[in-house]
C-alpha cells in the first residue's frame, strides 16, 4: 500500500504534499535530519510515516520511535494520536507514555523488546535513559533503558528549539555511535521538528504545492491582528480585562497565556469569579490531566467551533505553546520572546476557519521570569517596530504565518540565543555508565538551567499507618508514573520545608530569588526506584527520585501542582482510578517455585528469540542465548537452595511460598551474597561476552564486580580482572551496543519469570518423586 492510501485509511483524507515527500525519502532509506514546518502543518504525521514504513517492512526502519516533547501535558496528546493511528492501521505496536517513575502500565512493553513500540516521553525521561541514568527506575536498571533507547530507535524531537541542549547531546550520541563501529549495526536516527531551520541539516519543509494546498493555504494566510498593551501596577487586572474586552467583542473561547504558574492561577481566579474558566498548567497527574484535557478538547479543541461551543476562558502557562490541539477565537498573551509568541498564536484560529481574529500582547513593566528582562525588552522593541495602522483596528501587528514571515524577512528579529550543553565526550561515558558515581546530568539535558525534577505522589494510607511502615508499603506498591506529577527539586524541597512564598516559574524550572522562612517540616518517603526511605530532611531528595507524602499534606488540586493548597489530595488508588497491580518483573515476589534447569532452559530460549528478533546476527544471538542459559548457575549452592526452601534433591531458581526470613537465617548465606558472582566462579570457561552478560544480568558489575561479603568467591570469579574485561567489551561493542545485549538477557529473564508464574508448577512432592 502506498503512503497516500495508508494515510487516507487512518484519517479519511489525503496527506499534505510535504508528508508524501517525507514518505518518499523514507522509502529510499533516507530519514531527514529535520522537518522545518510552521505550526498547524501536521508535523505529527511523522508517526504515520513510521507506522507505514513498519507495515511495508522497509529496510532500516527503527523498531522504536521515541517522540519527545518538552511539555508533560503533551506526552498524553502525542500518545493518543499514535494510539488512534495504530488502531486504524491494525498494527501490533505498543504505545507508551513515559513521563517519570515506573509503574505496571509503563513496564509491560519491556517484556518484549522485539515488538515495535512508540514511546511518548519528555526531555528528562529520554535523556536520562540514553545517558545511562534512567530517572526513577533505579541505578541498576539503567543499562536496560540505555540499550533500548540507544539502538533500533528513531528519536523525534518536537519543537527542538525549546530543547537545544538536549538536541546537542543527542547529536553527540549519534556521532559516538557512528565512530564506535560496533558490530550490532542497528539503526538509530535523530529527527528534529521546528519552524527554525538548523544549519547543515537535511531538511524537509513546505513547498509551493503545500502553500497552494486549499487546506494549508487557509491556515497560512489567516490574519491574527494583535495590539500591544502596557501593563499597569496590577498585572492580573490588565490581563483579565483584555480577556473580557475580547469576549465582549464577540470572541467565544478566549485563551489567556501567562509566563508563570502563579500569575496564571491568579488570572484564572479573577476570571472564574464571573465566567467559566479552565486552568492549564504542565505539572499535573496524568488522570487529572486526562480528565481536564477531555473537557478542554470538547470545549476548545480544533474542530469544535462548528458545533456552537459555549463561551470559555482558557488560562494557561507556556505549556500551551507546543502540540496542544486547541483552537481559540481570541488570545491574550503576556509578552514573551518571538519564538514563544509564534507558538502561542498557533493556537489562535488554528485551521484558519475564522480568517481574521483579534489578540492582545501585554507588556508587564516588572516581568522577567522565565526569559530574562533583556530578552523581553528586545522582543517588545522589535514588535513595536512592526506595528502598522489598520483601518478600524488601530495599530496592530499581524501574527498570521505568512504575514509574520514577511515581517521577519524585512526586519530580522532579535537573536534569542540558545543554551548550550557541555560537549559530551567518549571519556564522559565511563562516568555516566558507572552507577557508583554520583553525577548531575542536568547540563546535558538543559544546559545551564539548573533545575532537576522529582516526582510527587500522594498516599491516603500514610494518614492511617505508623510512619515506620511507610517505606514497606511503598516498596510493596512502588509509585507508578500515572499517580505522580513532576516538580523541580528545589520546589519540592521548599514545600517540604514549609516555605509558603511563591516558588518561581515551575514550567521552566527557574528558581525564585527569595523564599520565606518555613512554617513546618514534613515527613515523607523518598523512593529511588529500588529502595524507599522515610525521612524529614528535604536534602534526602535527589533528582529523579519519587517523593511520596500523605494525602492530607495537600499540594495539588484538579489543575495540578498547588503548593499553597492544604486540601487533601485524592489518592488515585483509593478512588479506584488506578488498580494496585504488581509488575511481574525483577522486583515481583515469586509465589510459585521454579526448577533451576527449566528456568535456565526457558531464559536461554527467550534470549535467543529476543536476540534474533532484535536484529543481532546469528553469532551474537547465540552468545546472548548462552548467557541466558548460564545466568543463574551460581544458584546451585547449598546455602542458596536452603534459603529458597528447595525440597531435597531438587534445585530451584525461584522460591515458592515459604518463610523466607527464617530460611535465610538458617541457611547461613551472608546478606549481600551475589549469585551472579557465583555463576562466574562456577563456569570460568565462558566466552568473554557471555561472561560479561552473566556478570551484569542484575545491573551490577559496571565496572566493578561486587566483592563483599564473600571475597573468596570474588577471587574465584576473577573479580580483580573484571574492570579490564568491562573496558574490553565497551571498546568492542560500544556503550549502547553492550547495554542492548545486557537488556536482551535481562528482559528474557523477566519475561520468562513472568510466564513461569502463569504456568502450573509441580508441587513439592512431584519434584521429589
Amino acid at each position: 500500500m502506498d503512503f497516500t492510501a495508508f494515510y487516507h485509511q487512518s484519517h479519511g483524507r489525503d496527506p499534505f504534499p510535504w508528508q508524501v515527500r517525507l514518505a518518499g525519502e523514507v522509502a529510499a532509506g533516507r530519514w531527514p535530519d529535520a522537518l522545518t514546518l510552521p505550526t498547524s502543518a501536521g508535523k505529527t504525521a511523522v508517526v504515520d510515516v513510521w507506522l507505514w514504513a513498519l507495515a511495508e517492512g522497509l529496510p532500516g526502519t527503527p523498531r522504536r520511535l521515541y517522540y519527545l516533547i518538552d511539555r508533560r501535558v503533551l506526552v498524553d496528546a502525542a500518545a493518543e494520536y499514535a494510539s488512534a493511528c495504530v488502531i486504524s492501521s491494525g498494527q501490533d505496536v505498543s504505545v507508551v507514555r513515559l513521563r517519570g517513575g515506573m509503574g505496571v502500565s509503563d513496564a509491560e512493553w519491556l517484556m518484549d523488546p522485539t515488538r515495535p513500540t512508540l514511546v511518548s516521553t519528555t526531555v528528562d525521561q529520554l535523556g536520562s535513559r540514553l545517558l545511562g541514568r534512567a530517572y526513577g527506575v533505579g541505578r541498576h536498571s539503567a543499562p536496560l533503558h540505555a540499550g533500548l533507547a540507544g539502538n533500533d530507535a528513531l528519536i523525534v524531537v518536537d519543537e527542538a528549539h525549546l530543547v537545544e541542549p538536549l538536541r546537542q547531546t543527542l547529536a553527540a550520541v549519534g556521532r559516538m555511535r557512528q565512530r564506535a563501529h560496533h558490530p550490532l549495526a542497528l539503526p538509530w536516527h535523530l529527527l528534529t521538528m521546528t519552524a527554525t531551520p538548523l544549519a547543515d541539516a537535511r531538511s524537509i519543509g513546505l513547498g509551493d504545492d503545500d502553500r497552494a494546498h486549499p487546506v494549508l493555504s487557509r491556515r497560512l494566510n489567516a490574519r491574527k491582528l494583535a495590539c500591544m498593551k502596557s501593563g499597569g501596577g496590577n498585572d492580573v487586572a490588565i490581563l483579565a480585562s483584555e480577556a473580557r474586552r475580547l469576549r465582549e467583542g464577540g470572541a467565544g473561547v478566549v485563551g489567556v497565556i501567562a509566563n508563570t504558574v502563579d500569575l496564571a492561577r491568579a488570572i484564572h481566579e479573577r476570571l472564574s469569579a464571573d465566567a467559566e474558566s479552565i486552568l492549564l498548567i504542565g505539572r499535573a497527574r496524568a488522570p487529572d490531566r486526562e480528565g481536564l484535557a477531555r473537557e478542554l478538547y470538547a470545549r476548545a479543541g480544533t474542530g469544535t467551533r462548528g458545533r456552537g461551543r459555549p463561551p470559555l476562558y482558557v488560562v494557561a502557562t507556556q505549556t500551551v505553546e507546543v502540540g496542544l490541539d486547541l483552537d481559540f477565537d481570541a488570545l491574550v498573551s503576556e509578552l514573551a520572546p518571538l519564538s514563544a509568541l509564534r507558538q502561542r498564536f498557533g493556537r489562535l484560529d488554528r485551521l484558519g476557519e475564522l480568517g481574521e481574529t483579534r489578540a492582545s500582547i501585554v507588556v508587564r513593566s516588572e516581568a522577567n521570569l522565565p526569559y530574562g528582562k533583556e530578552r523581553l525588552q528586545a522582543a517588545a522593541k522589535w514588535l513595536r517596530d512592526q506595528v502598522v495602522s489598520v483601518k478600524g483596528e488601530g495599530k496592530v501587528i499581524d501574527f498570521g504565518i505568512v504575514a509574520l514571515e514577511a515581517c521577519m524577512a524585512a526586519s530580522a528579529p532579535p537573536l534569542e540565543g540558545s543554551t548550550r550543553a557541555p560537549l559530551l565526550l567518549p571519556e564522559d561515558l565511563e562516568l555516566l555508565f558507572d552507577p557508583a558515581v554520583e553525577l548531575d546530568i542536568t547540563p546535558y539535558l538543559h544546559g545551564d538551567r539548573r533545575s532537576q525534577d522529582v516526582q510527587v505522589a500522594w498516599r491516603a494510607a500514610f494518614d492511617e499507618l505508623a510512619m515506620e511502615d511507610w517505606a514497606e508499603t511503598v516498596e510493596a506498591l512502588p509509585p507508578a508514573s500515572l499517580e505522580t506529577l513532576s516538580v523541580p527539586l528545589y520546589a519540592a524541597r521548599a514545600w517540604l520545608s514549609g516555605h509558603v512564598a511563591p516558588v518561581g516559574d515551575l514550567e521552566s524550572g527557574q528558581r525564585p530569588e527569595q523564599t520565606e522562612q518555613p512554617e513546618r517540616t514534613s515527613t515523607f518517603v523518598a523512593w529511588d526506584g529500588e529502595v524507599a526511605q522515610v525521612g524529614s530532611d528535604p536534602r534526602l531528595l535527589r533528582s529523579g527520585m519519587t517523593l511520596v507524602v500523605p494525602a492530607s499534606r495537600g499540594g495539588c488540586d484538579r489543575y495540578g501542582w498547588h503548593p499553597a493548597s492544604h486540601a487533601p489530595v485524592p489518592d488515585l488508588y483509593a478512588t479506584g482510578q488506578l488498580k494496585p497491580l504488581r509488575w511481574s518483573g525483577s522486583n515481583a515476589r515469586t509465589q510459585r517455585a521454579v526448577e533451576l534447569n527449566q528456568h535456565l532452559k526457558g531464559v536461554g530460549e527467550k534470549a535467543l528469540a529476543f536476540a534474533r528478533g532484535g536484529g543481532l546476527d546469528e553469532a551474537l544471538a547465540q552468545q546472548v542465548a548462552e548467557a541466558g542459559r548460564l545466568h543463574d548457575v551460581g544458584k546451585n549452592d547449598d546455602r542458596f537452595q536452603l534459603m529458597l526452601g528447595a525440597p531435597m534433591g531438587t534445585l530451584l531458581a525461584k522460591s515458592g511460598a515459604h518463610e523466607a526470613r527464617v530460611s535465610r537465617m538458617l541457611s547461613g548465606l551472608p546478606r549481600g551474597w551475589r549469585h551472579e558472582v557465583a555463576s562466574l566462579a562456577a563456569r570460568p570457561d565462558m566466552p568473554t561476552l557471555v561472561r560479561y552478560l552473566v556478570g551484569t544480568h542484575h545491573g551490577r558489575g559496571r565496572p566493578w564486580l561486587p566483592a563483599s561479603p564473600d571475597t573468596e568467591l570474588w577471587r574465584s570469579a576473577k573479580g580483580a580482572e573484571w574492570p579490564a574485561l568491562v573496558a574490553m567489551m565497551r571498546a568492542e561493542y560500544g556503550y549502547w551496543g553492550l547495554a542492548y545485549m545486557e537488556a536482551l538477557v535481562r528482559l528474557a529473564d523477566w519475561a520468562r519469570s513472568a510466564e513461569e508464574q502463569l504456568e502450573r508448577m509441580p508441587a513439592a512432592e512431584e519434584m521429589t518423586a
Side-chain angles (χ1 to χ4, degrees):
M1 182 186 301
D2 67 13
F3 176 70
T4 298
F6 181 90
Y7 187 92
H8 195 281
Q9 175 182 285
S10 292
H11 302 284
R13 61 181 184 275
D14 287 344
F16 295 143
W18 76 261
Q19 295 166 341
V20 176
R21 288 198 297 277
L22 173 60
E25 288 292 299
V26 172
R30 299 185 299 266
W31 282 93
D33 298 325
L35 298 180
T36 308
L37 302 162
T39 187
S40 304
K43 290 178 292 186
T44 46
V46 69
V47 172
D48 299 88
V49 172
W50 175 71
L51 288 171
W52 169 73
L54 286 174
E56 293 298 304
L58 297 181
T61 302
R63 191 180 312 273
R64 284 171 291 278
L65 188 156
Y66 288 84
Y67 193 101
L68 187 148
I69 195 160
D70 193 35
R71 294 287 186 268
R72 292 159 189 83
V73 70
L74 303 179
V75 169
D76 299 313
E80 287 166 7
Y81 178 88
S83 295
C85 292
V86 167
I87 292 170
S88 297
S89 66
Q91 292 173 262
D92 184 21
V93 176
S94 296
V95 177
V96 178
R97 308 172 193 215
L98 192 59
R99 321 171 188 86
M102 179 58 75
V104 176
S105 59
D106 304 314
E108 288 175 349
W109 68 281
L110 296 172
M111 294 309 216
D112 184 0
T114 68
R115 186 183 185 191
T117 302
L118 185 144
V119 182
S120 182
T121 189
T122 64
V123 167
D124 287 320
Q125 290 303 312
L126 174 64
S128 67
R129 278 158 171 72
L130 200 57
L131 296 181
R133 292 284 147 163
Y135 285 164
V137 297
R139 58 180 178 168
H140 296 304
S141 295
L144 187 160
H145 299 276
L148 295 182
N151 294 278
D152 214 352
L154 172 64
I155 312 294
V156 176
V157 183
D158 199 357
E159 301 301 341
H161 65 283
L162 298 177
V163 292
E164 176 60 17
L166 179 68
R167 189 201 66 79
Q168 295 167 12
T169 297
L170 292 175
V173 169
R175 292 191 296 270
M176 282 189 282
R177 286 188 81 263
Q178 289 177 344
R179 285 200 297 266
H181 298 299
H182 58 74
L184 273 64
L186 295 171
W188 191 91
H189 190 74
L190 171 64
L191 171 61
T192 60
M193 301 196 298
T194 177
T196 305
L198 297 172
D200 302 321
R202 293 183 298 108
S203 178
I204 289 180
L206 297 182
D208 292 341
D209 48 357
D210 293 292
R211 296 181 183 279
H213 191 279
V215 174
L216 271 179
S217 64
R218 187 171 67 238
R219 300 178 187 181
L220 298 172
N221 291 289
R223 303 179 75 199
K224 305 177 183 184
L225 306 179
C227 61
M228 301 281 289
K229 297 284 185 179
S230 296
N234 191 330
D235 297 318
V236 175
I238 185 64
L239 285 157
S241 66
E242 282 300 295
R244 292 191 180 106
R245 180 181 67 81
L246 292 169
R247 165 71 57 78
E248 291 167 0
V253 176
V254 180
V256 186
I257 305 176
N259 293 345
T260 66
V261 174
D262 293 332
L263 182 58
R265 279 194 175 274
I267 296 168
H268 165 68
E269 291 173 5
R270 177 72 66 97
L271 291 173
S272 60
D274 53 19
E276 274 199 275
S277 175
I278 291 178
L279 176 65
L280 182 65
I281 60 177
R283 299 184 183 274
R285 298 184 298 181
D288 299 333
R289 187 166 56 232
E290 288 166 3
L292 191 62
R294 284 193 294 271
E295 184 178 353
L296 264 175
Y297 284 136
R299 300 284 304 276
T302 300
T304 60
R305 185 176 286 110
R307 299 200 292 264
R309 59 192 191 182
L312 179 69
Y313 292 114
V314 179
V315 184
T317 57
Q318 59 264 49
T319 193
V320 80
E321 292 174 12
V322 186
L324 276 180
D325 201 12
L326 299 176
D327 195 356
F328 302 143
D329 300 327
L331 178 67
V332 179
S333 175
E334 184 180 354
L335 176 67
L338 184 61
S339 61
L341 289 173
R342 292 177 72 186
Q343 295 301 318
R344 297 178 187 189
F345 274 83
R347 271 73 233 168
L348 176 61
D349 193 17
R350 188 165 176 80
L351 302 183
E353 293 173 326
L354 298 176
E356 185 171 289
T357 49
R358 307 293 181 273
S360 297
I361 300 173
V362 176
V363 182
R364 298 172 55 207
S365 57
E366 300 300 321
N368 58 65
L369 288 174
Y371 302 108
K373 199 165 188 175
E374 290 184 1
R375 289 180 68 189
L376 292 175
Q377 288 175 340
K381 181 181 184 305
W382 186 86
L383 289 171
R384 290 191 176 105
D385 289 343
Q386 312 312 311
V387 166
V388 296
S389 295
V390 175
K391 186 176 181 180
E393 300 294 337
K395 293 184 176 181
V396 297
I397 178 172
D398 188 350
F399 261 83
I401 294 173
V402 168
L404 192 63
E405 285 179 348
C407 287
M408 294 170 66
S411 173
L415 294 175
E416 296 181 6
S418 63
T419 305
R420 295 199 61 83
L423 182 60
L424 181 65
L425 300 172
E427 295 79 6
D428 300 326
L429 298 182
E430 185 173 347
L431 299 177
L432 288 166
F433 280 78
D434 185 343
V437 176
E438 292 291 337
L439 188 65
D440 178 14
I441 64 170
T442 306
Y444 293 112
L445 311 183
H446 302 289
D448 59 8
R449 197 192 92 185
R450 302 302 298 173
S451 79
Q452 305 168 66
D453 277 2
V454 296
Q455 316 300 315
V456 186
W458 288 261
R459 294 282 175 87
F462 283 15
D463 291 312
E464 301 172 0
L465 294 171
M467 282 190 292
E468 56 264 27
D469 296 328
W470 289 6
E472 185 176 349
T473 64
V474 170
E475 290 181 354
L477 182 62
S481 67
L482 291 177
E483 66 172 314
T484 66
L485 59 80
S486 289
V487 299
L489 176 59
Y490 79 83
R493 285 175 172 171
W495 179 59
L496 291 172
S497 299
H499 288 291
V500 296
V503 288
D505 174 41
L506 294 176
E507 298 301 300
S508 72
Q510 186 166 340
R511 289 175 179 268
E513 293 182 0
Q514 296 179 344
T515 56
E516 295 180 8
Q517 293 302 309
E519 292 183 330
R520 68 187 194 282
T521 58
S522 297
T523 304
F524 57 89
V525 171
W527 165 253
D528 68 0
E530 294 178 345
V531 177
Q533 184 176 352
V534 177
S536 57
D537 185 347
R539 290 173 296 183
L540 178 64
L541 282 179
R542 299 192 305 276
S543 180
M545 280 187 166
T546 299
L547 164 66
V548 189
V549 296
S552 61
R553 179 64 177 81
C556 179
D557 63 8
R558 72 179 291 245
Y559 298 114
W561 176 245
H562 191 7
S565 172
H566 297 292
V569 179
D571 181 324
L572 298 179
Y573 287 107
T575 60
Q577 292 172 268
L578 293 180
K579 302 299 181 184
L581 301 176
R582 288 194 61 88
W583 171 25
S584 297
S586 64
N587 293 326
R589 180 170 299 177
T590 304
Q591 298 300 313
R592 295 181 176 183
V594 180
E595 289 188 89
L596 180 58
N597 287 338
Q598 290 301 312
H599 178 67
L600 294 176
K601 179 177 182 291
V603 173
E605 291 172 350
K606 184 71 69 175
L608 182 60
F610 283 177
R612 285 173 171 168
L616 298 191
D617 64 32
E618 188 61 20
L620 283 177
Q622 288 295 340
Q623 293 197 71
V624 169
E626 182 71 0
R629 288 190 288 267
L630 297 176
H631 76 291
D632 274 355
V633 294
K635 290 183 177 180
N636 185 2
D637 180 285
D638 291 342
R639 298 167 300 170
F640 195 88
Q641 290 299 310
L642 180 56
M643 184 188 72
L644 293 181
M648 187 67 68
T650 301
L651 295 178
L652 292 184
K654 311 285 183 181
S655 63
H658 77 295
E659 183 48 64
R661 187 174 301 178
V662 173
S663 296
R664 172 176 282 278
M665 187 168 53
L666 292 174
S667 72
L669 194 69
R671 184 170 293 278
W673 185 89
R674 301 301 311 177
H675 72 268
E676 59 266 44
V677 178
S679 297
L680 295 172
R683 292 294 301 270
D685 58 331
M686 285 186 276
T688 305
L689 176 58
V690 175
R691 185 172 178 78
Y692 174 86
L693 296 175
V694 168
T696 58
H697 81 269
H698 279 292
R700 292 164 174 81
R702 301 174 295 112
W704 305 99
L705 201 63
S708 60
D710 193 335
T711 54
E712 190 58 41
L713 182 69
W714 180 81
R715 291 190 185 96
S716 298
K718 301 180 181 179
E721 302 172 11
W722 189 257
L725 181 148
V726 172
M728 181 170 61
M729 291 294 92
R730 288 174 171 173
E732 184 169 354
Y733 298 105
Y735 282 83
W736 290 282
L738 199 58
Y740 183 65
M741 290 186 286
E742 290 179 56
L744 295 179
V745 173
R746 196 166 186 185
L747 293 176
D749 188 13
W750 291 5
R752 180 57 195 155
S753 296
E755 290 174 353
E756 288 163 348
Q757 296 309 304
L758 299 176
E759 297 171 354
R760 179 186 177 275
M761 292 293 116
E765 58 270 19
E766 294 178 278
M767 291 183 184
T768 57

